[in-house]
Structure formats: C-alpha cells, structure tokens
Amino acid sequence: NGTRCGEEILGYGRAEKVLIGGVLTMLTLSTICGNLLVVISVCFVKKLRQPSNYLIVSLAVADLSVALAVMPFVSITDLIGGQWVFGQFFCNVFIAMDVMCCTASIMTLCVISIDRYLGITNPLTYPVRQNGCCMAKMILSVWLLSASITLPPLFGWAQNVNDGRVCLISQDFGYTVYSTAVAFYIPMSVMLIMYYRIYRAAKLSAAKHTITGFPRQVEEESLDCVAAALKLQREVEEECSTRVSRLLKTGEYHQRRQRKNQSIFKREQKAAATLGIVVGAFTFCWLPFFLVSTARPFVCGVECSCVPLWLERTLLWLGYANSLINPFIYAFFNRDLRTTYSNLLRCRYRNINRKLSAAGMHEALKLVEKPDADMAEFVL
C-alpha cells in the first residue's frame, strides 16, 4: 500500500513550480477577495441586509473557508509533488474541513435555487414567510448536514487513507456512495429541477404576459361620442366627458397591469438566467471531480487511488474554482452588489447606502414616467 501510493508522487522542475505556484496563489487570493467583498457588502450596507441575501452570505462564508482553510495546504502539497507533509492527525482535520466547506457551498447553492423558485412561483406570500429566522434555520440545516458527511471518518465508520505520504478521503464503498450522493448528486438534481421549473415559468409568462395596447373599444366609443356630438352638443358633452374619464381610467388600469406583467416577466427571466448560469458553472466545475471520486474505489479498491495524480489535482482545482466564480455570478445580475463592489474597490466607503437609494429611486421614477408618457401620447 505504501509503495503503491508513493509511486504517485510527482516531481516538478523549478520553472514548473514557479508557474504552478503563481497560478494557485492567484486562484486562492482571488477567491478570498471575491468572497470577502460579498460578506463585507451584505454585512455593512444597509440596503443589502435583507433575508434573501443571507444565503449568499452563507455561500460566501463557505467559499471563503475553502480558500483560507483548504486551498493553501493543497497548494503546498501540489508544489512538492503531491506528498502530504503535515502529519496524520492534521490529515483528518484537513479532510474534514475540505469536505464540510465544499459540501456547505454546494448545498447552499441548492437552497438558493429552491429559494428563487419559491420567490417566483409565490411572489405575494413567500416574502411574508421569508424572514431572518427562517433563513437562519435553513443555513444552520445546511451546515449541520455538511457536518454529517464530515464526521463518520472521525468516528470509525470509514478511515481516511494516510500512509505518511498521501492524505486521501476514505475509499469505503458505502461511505463513498453516501458522501457523493449527499454532497453532490442530490443537490445537483434539485438545482436542475428548480432551473427547469423557473425556465418553464418564464417561458409560460412570455406567452401569457403579452404587452398590448388599449382595447379596440376605445376607438369604437370615441367614434360614437363624435357622432353623438353632431346630433346633440350639450348632452353629448357630458356623455363624452364621462366616457373619456372612464377610458382614461381604463387606460391607466391597463398600463398598471402591463407594468406589473412586465415586472413579473423580467423577474422570471432574470431568475432563470441567473440560476441557469449558476447551475451550468456548478456542474462544469464539480461534475468531473465527483464522477472520478465515485468510480475510484470501485476501480482502484479501498486501499489507495490508482487515478493519475495530475488528473485528480486538475479536477480538484476545477471544483475549487467554483468558489471563485460564485460571488461574481451573483454580482453580475445584482446591480446593488455591483455598485457596492465598485465603491469598496475604489475605497469610497462613505454614502454607499445613499447612492444605492438614489439609484433605486431613479429606476422607480423611470417606471413611473414611462406609462405617463405613453398616456400623454394616447391623449394627443
């Protein structure tokens, strides 16, 4: 066993170490900075401190924990060719941190997809139930479930592989199936189902919430009004004023309804696009690693890994890259997060809340002015 695992140790030249070290250091530092921005933004900017963003903070904390507690040790191990030099006790601690933080990140993504789906399908009732206490319970459940995957190797169900040179998570068949299913396959299935349902809702909304003009009844009633005016001026003036008032109210009603439909449609489109990119990036980053991890004990046995070390490390770092891109995906679709990032990076800490409020007010005024302009055009 020791010889077989030892044969997997790789050797790098000086130039290769510099290149690999530079890439891994950049990846680690970028992950730390990106997720720190999320935590600082939501915790210190009043407008962002709302229950719907608590899950994003939990995701950022999980990804930040991966960058601080896992990536540096993996980087050092890779730079010396894959040999574990931190001892057997810390091997178990390291694997526990790695599994718990990565699983918490993956499962938080799953809960976010469920939260977005419920927010889209129940826009009136869900915000009432979406409070800080409810979110805290969901986040606590995510971390406890993540810990349930971490604890078995520490309490004797399945021992991690550590022969003094290699530190590898337990290859026990039952534990491998359990851990990969709970940590990846079940969350991925839920995310795909939620994305499909949100996409379907957006597609149905595109057909249902069609933007239309005023009813044809407007033209007919206007013609009736003009014809009546030629017969009896005085009586029709009152009738016309009554009908015009009713038509204007009808127009305002249709405008409000159109605006509401547009808002619903845009929200569904945005949710579908955001979740689609999140699911796509998540699957691309983690699927290859978990496929190899699931098949490894059945192909190689439970004593050690027969998968080439360079392939294992490449797929592992591809999975870690998901922790880097998560904060930027959400910032891309969230104007308030983008504005906060921009101000923090430019050291403009003051009046961030005021700027966000001003931007929100500007958007609201645009929505109000647009239907008013449409109504003026109709009257003219």
Side-chain angles (χ1 to χ4, degrees), residues 172-248:
D172 179 81
F173 297 121
Y175 177 72
T176 298
V177 173
Y178 163 72
S179 60
T180 55
V182 176
F184 178 75
Y185 293 112
I186 294 176
M188 182 185 69
S189 300
V190 172
M191 291 173 67
L192 290 174
I193 293 172
M194 293 300 103
Y195 171 66
Y196 169 74
R197 291 190 174 182
I198 291 178
Y199 172 77
R200 185 179 177 183
K203 189 175 181 180
L204 293 175
S205 181
K208 180 180 178 181
H209 298 145
T210 306
I211 301 174
T212 58
F214 293 103
R216 294 184 59 85
Q217 184 181 358
V218 173
E219 298 179 2
E220 296 173 359
E221 292 189 0
S222 298
L223 291 175
D224 293 340
C225 184
V226 174
L230 295 175
K231 295 180 180 180
L232 194 54
Q233 175 102 18
R234 186 174 179 179
E235 293 180 5
V236 170
E237 282 179 358
E238 298 178 359
E239 182 70 15
C240 281
S241 62
T242 302
R243 291 191 176 186
V244 168
S245 176
R246 189 178 76 246
L247 291 175
L248 289 176

Side-chain angles (χ1 to χ4, degrees), residues 51 54-55 126 129-140:
Y54 292 174
L55 288 172
Y126 186 66
R129 301 194 302 266
Q130 187 190 46
N131 52 55
C133 183
C134 177
M135 286 297 173
K137 291 178 181 178
M138 294 171 65
I139 293 170
L140 179 61

Side-chain angles (χ1 to χ4, degrees), residues 35-177:
N35 289 284
L36 268 180
L37 276 176
V38 175
V39 175
I40 293 173
S41 299
V42 178
C43 291
F44 292 97
V45 177
K46 184 177 180 180
K47 188 177 180 181
L48 296 175
R49 288 200 301 266
Q50 48 186 312
S52 61
N53 287 333
Y54 292 174
L55 288 172
I56 296 180
V57 173
S58 176
L59 175 65
V61 170
D63 291 335
L64 184 61
S65 300
V66 172
L68 291 175
V70 178
M71 288 186 181
F73 299 100
V74 179
S75 300
I76 295 173
T77 302
D78 288 348
L79 286 176
I80 60 178
Q83 181 176 353
W84 182 257
V85 294
F86 299 103
Q88 185 173 2
F89 174 78
F90 190 73
C91 172
N92 292 326
V93 175
F94 166 78
I95 290 177
M97 289 295 298
D98 187 9
V99 173
M100 184 173 69
C101 295
C102 291
T103 303
S105 175
I106 293 170
M107 295 191 68
T108 303
L109 286 173
C110 175
V111 174
I112 288 175
S113 69
I114 298 174
D115 177 72
R116 295 294 184 264
Y117 171 72
L118 294 177
I120 289 298
T121 55
N122 302 285
L124 298 179
T125 60
Y126 186 66
V128 178
R129 301 194 302 266
Q130 187 190 46
N131 52 55
C133 183
C134 177
M135 286 297 173
K137 291 178 181 178
M138 294 171 65
I139 293 170
L140 179 61
S141 300
V142 165
W143 283 91
L144 288 178
L145 189 56
S146 301
S148 72
I149 304 175
T150 302
L151 296 177
L154 301 179
F155 289 93
W157 175 17
Q159 296 297 317
N160 295 321
V161 177
N162 184 5
D163 64 349
R165 305 187 71 183
V166 173
C167 181
L168 183 66
I169 191 172
S170 172
Q171 299 299 290
D172 179 81
F173 297 121
Y175 177 72
T176 298
V177 173

